[in-house]
Short mmCIF file of all heavy atoms in Angstrom, two decimals:
data_model
loop_
_atom_site.label_atom_id
_atom_site.label_comp_id
_atom_site.label_asym_id
_atom_site.label_seq_id
_atom_site.Cartn_x
_atom_site.Cartn_y
_atom_site.Cartn_z
N LEU A 38 -22.31 26.22 67.67
CA LEU A 38 -22.33 24.83 67.25
C LEU A 38 -23.34 24.60 66.18
O LEU A 38 -23.10 23.85 65.22
CB LEU A 38 -22.65 23.94 68.53
CG LEU A 38 -21.54 23.83 69.54
CD1 LEU A 38 -22.05 23.07 70.73
CD2 LEU A 38 -20.37 23.13 68.96
N VAL A 39 -24.51 25.25 66.26
CA VAL A 39 -25.50 25.09 65.26
C VAL A 39 -25.04 25.66 63.92
O VAL A 39 -25.29 25.05 62.91
CB VAL A 39 -26.85 25.71 65.70
CG1 VAL A 39 -27.86 25.85 64.59
CG2 VAL A 39 -27.45 24.91 66.87
N ALA A 40 -24.42 26.80 63.99
CA ALA A 40 -23.92 27.42 62.73
C ALA A 40 -22.90 26.56 62.05
O ALA A 40 -22.92 26.39 60.83
CB ALA A 40 -23.33 28.84 63.09
N TRP A 41 -21.98 25.98 62.80
CA TRP A 41 -20.98 25.09 62.19
C TRP A 41 -21.69 23.73 61.71
O TRP A 41 -21.22 23.25 60.66
CB TRP A 41 -19.87 24.77 63.22
CG TRP A 41 -18.88 25.84 63.15
CD1 TRP A 41 -18.54 26.74 64.15
CD2 TRP A 41 -18.06 26.24 62.03
NE1 TRP A 41 -17.63 27.60 63.74
CE2 TRP A 41 -17.29 27.38 62.48
CE3 TRP A 41 -17.88 25.78 60.76
CZ2 TRP A 41 -16.38 28.03 61.59
CZ3 TRP A 41 -17.03 26.48 59.89
CH2 TRP A 41 -16.30 27.49 60.31
N SER A 42 -22.61 23.29 62.35
CA SER A 42 -23.38 22.10 61.85
C SER A 42 -24.06 22.38 60.55
O SER A 42 -23.96 21.59 59.57
CB SER A 42 -24.41 21.63 62.86
OG SER A 42 -25.13 20.58 62.39
N THR A 43 -24.63 23.56 60.46
CA THR A 43 -25.25 24.02 59.21
C THR A 43 -24.19 24.17 58.11
O THR A 43 -24.43 23.73 56.93
CB THR A 43 -26.01 25.31 59.37
OG1 THR A 43 -26.97 25.18 60.50
CG2 THR A 43 -26.70 25.82 58.15
N ALA A 44 -23.06 24.70 58.45
CA ALA A 44 -22.00 24.89 57.43
C ALA A 44 -21.51 23.54 56.89
O ALA A 44 -21.31 23.33 55.68
CB ALA A 44 -20.83 25.69 58.06
N ARG A 45 -21.30 22.59 57.76
CA ARG A 45 -20.82 21.26 57.35
C ARG A 45 -21.85 20.61 56.45
O ARG A 45 -21.46 19.95 55.45
CB ARG A 45 -20.51 20.42 58.55
CG ARG A 45 -19.13 20.80 59.25
CD ARG A 45 -18.73 19.79 60.28
NE ARG A 45 -19.68 19.70 61.35
CZ ARG A 45 -19.67 20.42 62.45
NH1 ARG A 45 -18.82 21.43 62.60
NH2 ARG A 45 -20.54 20.24 63.42
N ALA A 46 -23.13 20.74 56.82
CA ALA A 46 -24.22 20.16 56.01
C ALA A 46 -24.22 20.79 54.59
O ALA A 46 -24.44 20.14 53.60
CB ALA A 46 -25.57 20.28 56.71
N ALA A 47 -24.09 22.12 54.51
CA ALA A 47 -24.06 22.84 53.25
C ALA A 47 -22.86 22.40 52.40
O ALA A 47 -22.99 22.21 51.24
CB ALA A 47 -24.07 24.33 53.47
N ILE A 48 -21.70 22.23 53.02
CA ILE A 48 -20.48 21.75 52.35
C ILE A 48 -20.72 20.37 51.78
O ILE A 48 -20.39 20.04 50.60
CB ILE A 48 -19.25 21.87 53.22
CG1 ILE A 48 -18.91 23.33 53.45
CG2 ILE A 48 -18.13 21.14 52.57
CD1 ILE A 48 -17.90 23.56 54.50
N ASN A 49 -21.29 19.47 52.58
CA ASN A 49 -21.61 18.13 52.11
C ASN A 49 -22.55 18.08 50.92
O ASN A 49 -22.39 17.38 49.98
CB ASN A 49 -22.09 17.24 53.24
CG ASN A 49 -20.99 16.91 54.29
OD1 ASN A 49 -19.81 17.00 53.97
ND2 ASN A 49 -21.39 16.66 55.46
N SER A 50 -23.62 18.96 51.06
CA SER A 50 -24.57 19.03 50.00
C SER A 50 -23.94 19.53 48.67
O SER A 50 -24.23 18.97 47.59
CB SER A 50 -25.69 19.87 50.43
OG SER A 50 -26.69 20.06 49.40
N ALA A 72 -15.29 27.69 51.13
CA ALA A 72 -16.09 27.19 52.27
C ALA A 72 -15.35 26.14 53.04
O ALA A 72 -15.29 26.20 54.29
CB ALA A 72 -17.40 26.63 51.76
N ILE A 75 -12.50 27.92 55.11
CA ILE A 75 -13.05 28.56 56.26
C ILE A 75 -13.41 27.55 57.31
O ILE A 75 -13.11 27.72 58.50
CB ILE A 75 -14.29 29.39 55.89
CG1 ILE A 75 -13.90 30.58 55.02
CG2 ILE A 75 -15.02 29.87 57.15
CD1 ILE A 75 -15.07 31.34 54.43
N ALA A 76 -13.99 26.45 56.91
CA ALA A 76 -14.35 25.37 57.89
C ALA A 76 -13.14 24.76 58.49
O ALA A 76 -13.14 24.42 59.73
CB ALA A 76 -15.18 24.26 57.23
N ALA A 84 -17.94 33.20 60.79
CA ALA A 84 -17.19 32.37 59.92
C ALA A 84 -18.03 31.21 59.39
O ALA A 84 -18.01 30.84 58.17
CB ALA A 84 -15.90 31.82 60.53
N ALA A 85 -18.80 30.56 60.27
CA ALA A 85 -19.65 29.45 59.89
C ALA A 85 -20.71 29.91 58.86
O ALA A 85 -21.03 29.22 57.93
CB ALA A 85 -20.32 28.83 61.11
N ARG A 86 -21.28 31.08 59.12
CA ARG A 86 -22.28 31.62 58.20
C ARG A 86 -21.69 31.92 56.83
O ARG A 86 -22.35 31.69 55.85
CB ARG A 86 -23.04 32.84 58.83
CG ARG A 86 -24.04 32.46 59.88
CD ARG A 86 -24.90 33.64 60.28
NE ARG A 86 -24.10 34.64 61.01
CZ ARG A 86 -23.96 34.60 62.31
NH1 ARG A 86 -24.49 33.65 63.00
NH2 ARG A 86 -23.33 35.63 62.90
N THR A 87 -20.49 32.47 56.87
CA THR A 87 -19.77 32.74 55.60
C THR A 87 -19.52 31.47 54.82
O THR A 87 -19.77 31.36 53.63
CB THR A 87 -18.46 33.45 55.83
OG1 THR A 87 -18.77 34.67 56.58
CG2 THR A 87 -17.75 33.81 54.58
N ALA A 88 -19.10 30.40 55.49
CA ALA A 88 -18.83 29.13 54.87
C ALA A 88 -20.18 28.55 54.31
O ALA A 88 -20.16 27.97 53.23
CB ALA A 88 -18.18 28.14 55.84
N THR A 89 -21.22 28.68 55.05
CA THR A 89 -22.49 28.22 54.65
C THR A 89 -22.99 28.90 53.37
O THR A 89 -23.43 28.27 52.40
CB THR A 89 -23.57 28.42 55.70
OG1 THR A 89 -23.18 27.70 56.89
CG2 THR A 89 -24.95 27.93 55.28
N GLU A 90 -22.85 30.26 53.33
CA GLU A 90 -23.25 31.03 52.17
C GLU A 90 -22.45 30.60 50.93
O GLU A 90 -23.01 30.46 49.81
CB GLU A 90 -23.01 32.51 52.39
CG GLU A 90 -24.00 33.09 53.42
CD GLU A 90 -23.67 34.48 53.81
OE1 GLU A 90 -22.77 35.08 53.19
OE2 GLU A 90 -24.34 35.06 54.71
N ALA A 92 -20.90 27.66 50.35
CA ALA A 92 -21.28 26.35 49.97
C ALA A 92 -22.71 26.31 49.34
O ALA A 92 -22.86 25.55 48.35
CB ALA A 92 -21.23 25.39 51.19
N GLU A 93 -23.60 27.09 49.82
CA GLU A 93 -24.95 27.11 49.24
C GLU A 93 -24.93 27.68 47.87
O GLU A 93 -25.68 27.25 46.97
CB GLU A 93 -25.89 27.86 50.14
CG GLU A 93 -26.28 27.08 51.42
CD GLU A 93 -27.11 27.92 52.40
OE1 GLU A 93 -27.25 29.12 52.24
OE2 GLU A 93 -27.71 27.27 53.32
#
Side-chain angles (χ1 to χ4, degrees):
L38 290 174
V39 168
W41 277 115
S42 177
T43 304
R45 284 190 298 275
I48 290 170
N49 287 339
S50 179
I75 292 170
R86 283 190 291 271
T87 303
T89 301
E90 290 171 9
E93 286 175 347

